Structures are given as structure tokens and as C-alpha cells.
Amino acid sequence: MAEPDLQAIHDFLVDLARKAGRMIVSANPSTVDTKKNSSDLVTETDKAVEDLVSSSLKSAYPDYSFLGEETAQSGRLTDDPTFIVDPIDGTTNFVHAHPYISISLAFAHKQKPMVGVVYNPFTQHLYTAVKGQGAYLTAPKIPSSFPAEGEKVESTYERRSLPLRSPPPPLPDLSSALIAVEYGNERNGNNWDTKINTFSALGRDKSVDGAMVQSVRSLGSAALNMCSVARGDIDVYWEGGCWAWDVAAGWVVVEEAGGMVVGGNKEEWAPKVDGRRYLVLRAGAGKELVEEFWGKIQGKLGYEDTD
């Protein structure tokens, strides 16, 4: 099999993301089902978008594997060239008409993400990256003034390199950080306790052995959390319980923006894409910050399908 043409794959995924985005913004998520529990939702639109994406990819790239959230038998990757797809990352937001969702499309080879496309069709923010070629945000350009009454408004777009601030400002410690975390859909047991106790340790005052981070955000989409780290407006993102389709595209965007992805448990310097626990840091953050964060984790995240 010939080596993958990463630029051609990137261009195909961008076109596919925009096509899927038009389907999403015109949909009404009236049919809502649950998977694991009431916090783990799926809609007919999730399934329809994955059908569109999978059929398009299998037609254009019949020799490549496909791993999608709604059809996967497992979340494990192989060394085969593989498209990794989350049709709607942020389904709960979608159901509540909260406009922070994304289509997450990635291509991996030998279990390494090589191309990432993340698109929010409501804000029309498109994040793209190809291994070794940098990361970019294409978004509507904000006008410098309001249009005159009756004046036609035409959208224009600009493509900007990530991170948005260059050079990125230093990040000396967690007390200077804005971090992202998520509840996830596992709401009891060891992983839940580890998360909640760690959230507390991150927020507590330093006088009681906390990190006293500046604040916490939860966008409800792992891919958008990662792209915010790539942009530089979120400093650190800690996650446990996600799958490869949640993080693969954002992974490329973060690394090509100068950031890093390590494991969500202590001393996991070389995480797997399908490892389900991640610590993501923006450009300008160093290994010292990784170790400080790991020092605040209260317990250990563990998932039966990866451990």
C-alpha cells in the first residue's frame, strides 16, 4: 500500500466536515436516546452524520480502516491507516441547543494521529492540522464596525496560525492557569472519586495544599477543549474516560500548535491515542507544569478496556 497523501486527506476531510456541518445546523434533535446512562446521549443526527462520513470515506479510501463513535465495536486502534470520527462531539450540548459542538475527523497511521479537522458548524470555527505543517484556525472575520442600515453583510473568513498569541506567554505554575475539565458520564466509583477529589485539589488555596488555579471551564466537547488549548486561551485540559474519536483530531492540532499531550495519570509520558486518559498543555507550558499537575491528582484513573 502506498504511503498516505496527508494533504489530500486533509482537503477531503475539510470538505466533508463542512458538508456534515450543514446537516447538523439544519437538524432538530427530536429523537434522543441514552447509551450508558442519562448523561450519555445519542441522537438520530449523530447516526446520520456518521453514515454520511463513513460512506464518503469508504468510497474515497476503500483500503483504509474506519473507527467511528456510533458504529465501533471497540475503541482500540490498530497500525492500519485509519479514519477516526466523532460525528457530533458534544451531543449533550446539541440536545440543549448550546452551540458548542464539533465534528471531529482524524486520520491516524501506525496509531499516530497525522491529520486533524475539528469544525464547529454553529460558530463556523474550523481547526485543521497536518503532521509537520502547523495548526490553523479558519473563522469568520469580525467586522471593525457595524454595517449601515440596509447595507448587505457578507461574511469573510481569515486563516490564522495557532497558537493565536505568538510567542505564547510563559506559564510558570498552575496558579496562573485557566484549566478545562469535564464530568464525563461515569458518575460513581474510583474514576468519579479521582476526578472530584482532583477538582477540589486544583481549586483549593495553596495554604491547604491546593494548586489554586485561576478558574475552570467545561466546554462539553473534548475536541473543542483541545482546540482551545491549541489556541492558547485554555492553558491545561485534564480528561479521563474519552475515546480515540474524541481526541485524535484535537491531538494533531495541539501538537502542531506547539502544545503537548501526556497521560492523565502520573508518569504517563507517552500516552496512546486510545488510552482514555489525557493531560493536554498549551505551547509555553513545560514539563515542570506537567509534574505539578500530576502531583495534584488524587488517585488513579483506570479503564478496563485499556489497563
Side-chain angles (χ1 to χ4, degrees):
M1 185 183 296
E3 283 296 304
D5 184 337
L6 298 183
Q7 188 59 51
I9 289 171
H10 164 277
D11 295 347
F12 190 87
L13 292 182
V14 168
D15 288 343
L16 192 53
R18 293 192 185 280
K19 186 183 296 184
R22 289 191 289 272
M23 178 183 289
I24 290 170
V25 297
S26 63
N28 177 19
S30 55
T31 303
V32 182
D33 297 319
T34 60
K35 293 188 282 188
K36 186 175 182 178
N37 56 39
S38 62
S39 70
D40 192 9
L41 306 179
V42 63
T43 71
E44 288 300 318
T45 308
D46 291 79
K47 298 172 185 177
V49 171
E50 184 159 317
D51 286 345
L52 166 70
V53 171
S54 64
S55 62
S56 299
L57 289 173
K58 288 173 183 177
S59 176
Y61 295 95
D63 296 328
Y64 290 176
S65 298
F66 180 86
L67 183 64
E69 178 178 13
E70 306 308 333
T71 54
Q73 299 301 308
S74 79
R76 305 313 299 268
L77 277 177
T78 69
D79 285 343
D80 295 338
T82 304
F83 290 104
I84 309 170
V85 172
D86 191 340
I88 300 180
D89 185 36
T91 301
T92 301
N93 285 348
F94 181 55
V95 168
H96 288 270
H98 187 58
Y100 284 90
I101 66 98
S102 65
I103 305 143
S104 179
L105 306 176
F107 174 76
H109 191 206
K110 298 178 181 178
Q111 301 191 47
K112 302 293 184 183
M114 306 297 289
V115 180
V117 172
V118 177
Y119 180 51
N120 182 341
F122 292 104
T123 63
Q124 299 182 55
H125 283 192
L126 174 69
Y127 301 90
T128 59
V130 176
K131 194 70 174 177
Q133 298 183 30
Y136 299 91
L137 166 63
T138 302
K141 188 174 182 180
I142 299 174
S144 58
S145 60
F146 287 105
E149 186 175 351
E151 182 180 349
K152 184 178 179 180
V153 178
E154 294 185 1
S155 297
T156 59
Y157 294 81
E158 59 180 349
R159 183 173 184 255
R160 300 176 64 185
S161 178
L162 299 177
L164 295 178
R165 292 182 290 177
S166 184
L171 189 61
D173 58 32
L174 287 173
S175 67
S176 305
L178 179 64
I179 68 170
V181 296
E182 299 284 349
Y183 275 170
N185 56 48
E186 191 173 336
R187 300 297 179 88
N188 59 45
N190 171 75
N191 291 329
W192 174 251
D193 291 342
T194 297
K195 283 189 174 185
I196 293 301
N197 292 334
T198 300
F199 296 168
S200 177
L202 291 168
R204 281 200 305 267
D205 192 282
K206 286 189 173 184
S207 65
V208 285
D209 199 30
M212 200 169 178
V213 299
Q214 290 190 335
S215 195
V216 174
R217 299 291 182 266
S218 296
L219 298 182
S221 161
L224 291 181
N225 281 332
M226 294 184 84
C227 289
S228 292
V229 173
R231 287 164 55 110
D233 46 68
I234 294 288
D235 298 306
V236 182
Y237 171 40
W238 182 60
E239 181 61 272
C242 280
W243 299 87
W245 46 77
D246 297 304
V247 301
W251 192 303
V252 192
V253 177
V254 167
E255 289 193 334
E256 288 301 304
M260 73 173 95
V261 183
V262 298
N265 285 330
K266 300 171 185 178
E267 303 305 322
E268 293 179 344
W269 287 106
K272 293 183 177 182
V273 179
D274 56 7
R276 303 198 62 199
R277 49 189 184 250
Y278 316 94
L279 179 63
V280 187
L281 299 96
R282 69 163 172 82
K287 290 186 175 181
E288 297 82 2
L289 198 79
V290 173
E291 291 171 344
E292 182 188 359
F293 195 105
W294 280 343
K296 297 303 177 187
I297 296 175
Q298 306 297 300
K300 184 176 182 179
L301 296 169
Y303 300 92
E304 290 181 0
D305 39 12
T306 61
D307 296 325

